[in-house]
Amino acid sequence: MSALINSFCAEIIKSKNTIALWLTVIGAAIIPLTMIITYVYNYELFIPESGRNPWSEIFLRSFNGITLFTPLFLILIINLLFNIENKSNAWKHIFVLPISKSTYYFSKYAFVFCLVFAYYFLFVILTWGSGALLGYQNAQLNFLAYTPEWKTILSFLTRFFVGTLAIIAIHFWLSFRIKNLIANLGIGLVGVAFSVLFNGTSGYVIYFPYSFPIMMLNYAPKPAQFFENYHIISLFYFTIFSVLSYWDFTTRFKG
Amino acid sequence: MTEEIIETRSLNFGFKKNSLILDNINLLVEKGTIYGFLGPNGAGKTTTIRLLFGLLTPISGEIWLFGKSLTKNKPKIFENVGAMIETPSLYEHLSGFDNLDITRRIRNIPKKRINEVLDIVNLSEASKAVVKEYSLGMKQRLGLAVAFLSKPSLLILDEPTNGLDPRGMIEIRELLVKLNRDFRTTILISSHLLSEIEKLVTHLGIINKGKLIFQGAIKELQKLKKGNPVVQIETDNNKRAFNLLKNHYQIITYEENIVQIAFQNQAQIAHIGKTLVNEGLDIYRLQAVANGLEEIFLEITKN
């Protein structure tokens, strides 16, 4: 366990001054900033009806924003994290350190998840902050009279996170196998483009991993069924691709 | 009793089955030695070193480090090994200190050791600067600092003086000798230039075209010496000198500005000198060119 913690700490040091780290912050801030601009310039469109919580509207719009934006963000972040090793020609150094490949694999995976969680956390905090700021700036928007529906936010984030697990696992594997950042991003772009073209939530599209986040557009919680079929399929893909990439990394990958 | 630190048994490697890059390599590095692994560019030195670390998989053969099979004990074995393979693997967006800190954390070494190795490689003042601003020599020294960090009992360095100026090379040589003398660190150092490492190493392995063609103590290499040494002569009339000596000695080359003659002992050099002076020739140069290790190395790797 201490080897895993040490390796994880090394990952934190490696991420200093990297685009991956800045992108996590900037990526999380883009949608809230867009919300501020949209609300300031078109505030009359967003004045809520009496008795209606304005937070539902701003968070729904923000959710739609990250639904489209997050898949590419994830692909980019994972690639950039592996690119730290690829660019520095560091595999030959890492693989001669007294650390098993398994430990390295899990510490890298853990760091990817840390950045993903940081991204979601920052996104929620910044969206909340944007709403509060807009509330101070224009009382008609009524943000200060209500509180966000935290339960809905948490349920969206949990489902959305599960929906993106397939993409995380696939691109975690591709990132150490395909060292070209552009090629990797290209695969992700094609996947996202197809999922937008499919634009559905039923039929075979539920087997296409890049579609899962898009399926959460215009999120409306369904209390009866927490996870839909595509969430289960995403978890299945995540398990399969994680096991395969672990096997590939620990037994075949030589850097 | 000698203790083998590195041992390979019938090591074969190739990317295709029918074309071997390494052919039956039986490397043997004993404890406390400085082993020079020598060969021309492309001879298979880096490939062998990569195999020693499991970065490549051999077609056949075994690799033993510290008397343990590499296939089963990698992380444990690597606790005692410091390495620099080809160019140093450095994170250029980080400072020299951070680069060392990454390895320190993974190896679980006390933090104060970072400043010790920075002192050793003379990079203390530049430790906070980002590595992309370092010169080639500084990067090389930082790479060595990473390798020294854990006070390893085995150091494997692949052409560590690449990119260093003559002073830097001497510093690294002195440092390696000190590590070997004070801590009995076993060192395997690869190079394509014998002159670069002949003053440093106690043992040599010479590889050429994937085959280990010599292995042993450096003194044993002398035994491979072929032919006689040569004396180079330059006079005010080389043609006359050539005519005077050609019936008594074996002329190796005769050119307008130099005559090269094979000799067997020092008395013959004295005789050559006397002959030329007695005939009234002015001698500008009379220089014995020793058939040194470099020549032997070039000779045995020629074919």
Side-chain angles (χ1 to χ4, degrees):
Chain A
M1 191 64 189
S2 70
L4 185 67
I5 293 166
N6 289 341
S7 179
F8 182 78
C9 290
E11 289 300 316
I12 295 172
I13 301 170
K14 279 184 216 171
S15 72
K16 272 166 76 172
N17 310 328
T18 57
I19 303 170
L21 208 59
W22 282 109
L23 206 65
T24 305
V25 180
I26 295 165
I30 282 178
I31 303 298
L33 277 174
T34 313
M35 287 300 119
I36 291 175
I37 294 164
T38 312
Y39 270 67
V40 166
Y41 285 100
N42 304 290
Y43 76 94
E44 66 278 3
L45 296 174
F46 300 106
I47 296 169
E49 290 166 17
S50 174
R52 189 165 178 159
N53 187 342
W55 289 102
S56 306
E57 176 76 13
I58 196 170
F59 267 101
L60 182 66
R61 284 174 177 276
S62 299
F63 290 161
N64 283 347
I66 66 159
T67 297
L68 294 166
F69 175 75
T70 302
L72 281 177
F73 163 78
L74 292 174
I75 293 163
L76 198 57
I77 287 290
I78 297 168
N79 272 282
L80 285 169
L81 285 180
F82 274 102
N83 204 39
I84 296 173
E85 319 297 352
N86 294 336
K87 203 172 69 179
S88 309
N89 203 3
W91 294 114
K92 62 184 164 66
H93 174 61
I94 290 163
F95 292 156
V96 303
L97 289 171
I99 176 179
S100 67
K101 279 184 166 182
S102 309
T103 307
Y104 180 80
Y105 178 91
F106 286 120
S107 67
K108 198 79 170 176
Y109 227 149
F111 192 66
V112 165
F113 278 112
C114 261
L115 285 191
V116 172
F117 290 138
Y119 165 74
Y120 288 142
F121 179 75
L122 277 173
F123 161 74
V124 171
I125 295 297
L126 291 173
T127 307
W128 186 24
S130 304
L133 199 69
L134 288 165
Y136 275 114
Q137 190 255 344
N138 189 339
Q140 286 178 283
L141 293 172
N142 222 10
F143 280 110
L144 301 181
Y146 290 88
T147 53
E149 290 166 6
W150 293 113
K151 206 175 156 187
T152 307
I153 293 166
L154 197 65
S155 81
F156 169 83
L157 287 177
T158 310
R159 290 172 195 192
F160 188 69
F161 172 69
V162 172
T164 57
L165 282 176
I167 294 177
I168 292 175
I170 291 167
H171 280 271
F172 191 82
W173 191 4
L174 287 178
S175 295
F176 64 81
R177 271 299 171 194
I178 304 172
K179 287 178 180 152
N180 188 324
L181 187 73
I182 305 297
N184 255 317
L185 208 56
I187 294 169
L189 262 172
V190 170
V192 173
F194 269 111
S195 66
V196 172
L197 285 174
F198 292 155
N199 191 27
T201 54
S202 58
Y204 288 117
V205 77
I206 63 160
Y207 299 106
F208 189 60
Y210 297 93
S211 290
F212 303 156
I214 312 275
M215 287 178 190
M216 291 194 63
L217 269 172
N218 300 319
Y219 178 68
K222 290 179 185 170
Q225 189 187 4
F226 193 76
F227 285 140
E228 295 186 43
N229 285 344
Y230 66 86
H231 288 119
I232 308 299
I233 294 166
S234 178
L235 274 170
F236 176 74
Y237 280 153
F238 172 72
T239 311
I240 293 293
F241 282 107
S242 295
V243 168
L244 286 175
S245 72
Y246 173 79
W247 170 80
D248 186 33
F249 188 83
T250 53
T251 60
R252 295 169 63 90
F253 184 65
K254 300 282 182 187
Chain B
M1 195 180 141
T2 56
E3 186 184 332
E4 285 86 26
I5 299 296
I6 301 175
E7 189 183 1
T8 68
R9 298 173 189 165
S10 308
L11 200 61
N12 291 304
F13 176 79
F15 293 107
K16 291 175 189 168
K17 276 186 180 174
N18 298 330
S19 122
L20 288 180
I21 290 170
L22 292 181
D23 186 359
N24 197 31
I25 301 290
N26 292 292
L27 215 61
L28 196 69
V29 180
E30 289 168 4
K31 189 175 182 177
T33 57
I34 304 181
Y35 186 101
F37 192 39
L38 209 63
N41 285 331
K45 300 184 296 291
T46 301
T47 306
T48 308
I49 290 174
R50 282 181 162 265
L51 284 164
L52 290 180
F53 286 110
L55 295 170
L56 294 170
T57 310
I59 292 173
S60 61
E62 293 173 23
I63 299 163
W64 293 72
L65 297 180
F66 301 99
K68 290 175 187 160
S69 170
L70 183 71
T71 45
K72 291 171 192 163
N73 304 285
K74 253 189 232 172
K76 191 77 191 156
I77 287 171
F78 291 164
E79 280 178 12
N80 298 313
V81 184
M84 193 173 88
I85 306 161
E86 296 173 297
T87 51
S89 302
L90 302 170
Y91 301 101
E92 299 216 346
H93 62 286
L94 297 175
S95 67
F97 188 93
D98 283 339
N99 268 276
L100 287 161
D101 202 21
I102 288 168
T103 304
R104 178 193 77 80
R105 282 183 188 270
I106 294 173
R107 286 189 176 273
N108 211 7
I109 298 165
K111 201 168 187 173
K112 64 176 184 181
R113 178 69 183 151
I114 293 179
N115 290 327
E116 286 172 21
V117 289
L118 282 168
D119 273 345
I120 292 173
V121 297
N122 205 12
L123 277 177
S124 297
E125 282 180 21
S127 67
K128 300 291 175 198
V130 287
V131 170
K132 65 179 152 203
E133 289 172 5
Y134 280 21
S135 68
L136 191 64
M138 288 165 86
K139 286 178 188 172
Q140 206 75 4
R141 280 186 279 151
L142 184 61
L144 288 169
V146 174
F148 300 155
L149 195 65
S150 62
K151 294 184 185 170
S153 41
L154 171 64
L155 256 180
I156 298 181
L157 306 171
D158 189 11
E159 311 231 7
T161 52
N162 265 358
L164 294 184
D165 55 22
R167 186 168 174 74
M169 284 185 192
I170 292 166
E171 280 174 8
I172 295 300
R173 271 205 295 264
E174 285 172 353
L175 178 63
L176 295 177
V177 169
K178 191 171 182 291
L179 283 171
N180 176 258
R181 188 187 57 219
D182 297 349
F183 303 104
R184 258 201 112 203
T185 308
T186 307
I187 300 169
L188 182 145
I189 179 169
S190 81
S191 177
H192 60 276
L193 292 171
L194 177 61
S195 56
E196 196 178 87
I197 57 168
E198 69 173 304
K199 287 176 190 158
L200 172 72
V201 301
T202 57
H203 290 69
L204 265 181
I206 298 177
I207 187 170
N208 193 30
K209 293 178 182 169
K211 290 186 178 175
L212 195 64
I213 52 176
F214 171 82
Q215 181 168 240
I218 200 153
K219 285 174 194 164
E220 289 173 35
L221 190 63
Q222 296 278 9
K223 293 177 188 168
L224 296 176
K225 195 159 75 173
K226 286 177 187 169
N228 292 324
V230 166
V231 62
Q232 293 180 335
I233 301 162
E234 196 182 343
T235 67
D236 61 337
N237 190 340
N238 284 341
K239 192 177 180 184
R240 207 165 145 232
F242 167 72
N243 287 326
L244 281 168
L245 298 168
K246 70 179 179 185
N247 294 328
H248 306 284
Y249 298 98
Q250 184 197 347
I251 307 289
I252 304 293
T253 55
Y254 163 59
E255 288 163 21
E256 201 175 316
N257 59 350
I258 199 160
V259 182
Q260 292 202 88
I261 295 169
F263 71 96
Q264 288 168 350
N265 49 50
Q266 286 179 323
Q268 287 188 335
I269 299 178
H271 180 254
I272 290 167
K274 274 181 200 163
T275 308
L276 296 174
V277 170
N278 290 342
E279 291 296 324
L281 289 172
D282 291 336
I283 301 172
Y284 301 147
R285 182 149 67 110
L286 183 66
Q287 184 181 16
V289 183
N291 194 349
L293 292 176
E294 189 72 46
E295 283 73 25
I296 299 166
F297 166 61
L298 291 172
E299 181 65 32
I300 63 173
T301 55
K302 197 164 63 182
N303 301 311

